[in-house]
């Protein structure tokens, strides 16, 4: 209920029908009350919200790697937002409510450097993955480019990997993976990152492998 202390033409305090009267710092205010019932979201809106939620949750384990792989690539977006945009457009498949990822199209870095030319990927006991690649040189392939290796286990929603444990000129890396990955299939990706982090290669999908 509203109260008027100065007559019908003066200010009032409280609610009268669809309006509310109030007073703050010597100023009288009147504002309307929103009486409309909120609309239920449409199926298309629910689908879009679900896609965004799915993509955000899926991308989270990759944050340490995409912040390197997309560093400075887009001036108007953060590295994580840029990774979200690319993978939302290129790797997200399925229809609401059943979304999934095409792991052959996942992008963890994008740039002009020469991509890793992987010659071999094999398991070396105990719990180590060995990569061998062709050693290339030139304007877009410096000897000190650093390798970024990412292993992702979809069933665990867990990413493991390294940045800078090997250089392009090394030609190989023996990586001891996390013990939690033992017995699980992982999707494997590799990129090269310039030493100053200003240039990167596209990420390369190396395939799926069971880690014994």
């Amino acid at each position: 209920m509203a109260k008027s202390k100065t007559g019908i033409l003066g200010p009032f305090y409280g609610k009268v029908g669809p309006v509310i009267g109030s007073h703050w710092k010597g100023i009288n205010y009147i504002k309307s009350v929103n009486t409309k019932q909120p609309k239920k979201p449409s199926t298309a809106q629910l689908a879009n919200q679900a896609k965004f939620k799915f993509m955000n949750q899926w991308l989270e384990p990759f944050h340490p790697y995409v912040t390197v792989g997309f560093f400075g690539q887009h001036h108007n977006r953060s590295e994580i937002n840029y990774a979200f945009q690319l993978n939302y457009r290129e790797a997200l498949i399925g229809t609401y409510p059943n979304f999934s990822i095409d792991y052959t199209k996942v992008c963890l870095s994008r740039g002009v450097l020469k991509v890793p030319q992987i010659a071999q990927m094999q398991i070396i006991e105990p719990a180590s993955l060995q990569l061998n690649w062709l050693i290339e040189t030139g304007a877009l392939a410096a000897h000190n480019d650093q390798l970024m290796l990412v292993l992702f286990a979809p069933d665990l929603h867990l990413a493991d990997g390294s940045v800078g444990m090997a250089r392009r000129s090394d030609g190989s890396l023996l990586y001891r993976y996390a013990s939690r990955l033992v017995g699980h299939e992982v999707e494997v990706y590799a990129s090269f990152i310039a030493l100053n982090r200003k240039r990167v290669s596209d990420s390369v999908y190396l395939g799926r492998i069971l880690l014994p």
Side-chain angles (χ1 to χ4, degrees):
M1 182 177 68
K3 296 181 180 180
S4 177
K5 297 182 179 180
T6 56
I8 193 171
L9 299 180
F12 67 92
Y13 312 97
K15 182 179 178 183
V16 178
V19 296
I20 295 176
S22 60
H23 182 83
W24 186 69
K25 288 190 176 182
I27 303 174
N28 300 308
Y29 292 92
I30 296 177
K31 61 182 179 180
S32 63
V33 178
N34 185 6
T35 58
K36 294 183 179 179
Q37 294 294 325
K39 292 183 179 179
K40 291 184 177 180
S42 65
T43 301
Q45 289 173 323
L46 289 173
N48 196 49
Q49 292 169 6
K51 285 175 71 174
F52 271 76
K53 181 179 179 180
F54 174 88
M55 199 67 204
N56 272 318
Q57 292 176 340
W58 174 82
L59 188 62
E60 188 173 352
F62 294 97
H63 285 186
Y65 307 103
V66 298
T67 51
V68 176
F70 294 106
F71 179 73
Q73 296 297 305
H74 200 292
H75 299 298
N76 297 324
R77 289 187 177 92
S78 70
E79 290 79 16
I80 292 172
N81 285 342
Y82 192 35
F84 178 98
Q85 175 192 6
L86 289 177
N87 287 288
Y88 183 89
R89 184 176 67 234
E90 299 175 10
L92 179 61
I93 56 176
T95 56
Y96 175 71
N98 300 311
F99 301 115
S100 59
I101 297 292
D102 182 346
Y103 285 98
T104 68
K105 296 181 180 178
V106 166
C107 182
L108 303 182
S109 66
R110 180 159 291 179
V112 299
L113 293 184
K114 287 186 177 180
V115 300
Q117 299 290 335
I118 303 299
Q120 188 179 40
M121 178 174 68
Q122 61 180 338
I123 300 297
I124 303 293
E125 296 295 345
S128 296
L129 176 68
Q130 181 168 322
L131 291 183
N132 298 314
W133 57 87
L134 303 180
I135 299 175
E136 300 177 283
T137 58
L140 298 177
H143 73 281
N144 60 359
D145 289 340
Q146 299 179 325
L147 183 77
M148 181 170 76
L149 174 66
V150 181
L151 289 66
F152 179 69
D155 59 338
L156 298 176
H157 197 58
L158 175 68
D160 183 32
S162 69
V163 180
M165 287 185 66
R167 300 177 300 176
R168 189 188 290 267
S169 60
D170 292 334
S172 66
L173 170 66
L174 183 62
Y175 180 72
R176 187 172 180 83
Y177 46 83
S179 59
R180 288 181 61 189
L181 297 180
V182 172
H184 296 272
E185 289 187 329
V186 296
E187 314 288 347
V188 186
Y189 303 86
S191 310
F192 277 125
I193 316 292
L195 187 61
N196 63 7
R197 296 292 196 266
K198 291 185 178 180
R199 295 197 297 182
V200 302
S201 75
D202 290 351
S203 58
V204 176
Y205 176 62
L206 305 183
R208 180 181 299 172
I209 189 170
L210 176 64
L211 300 182

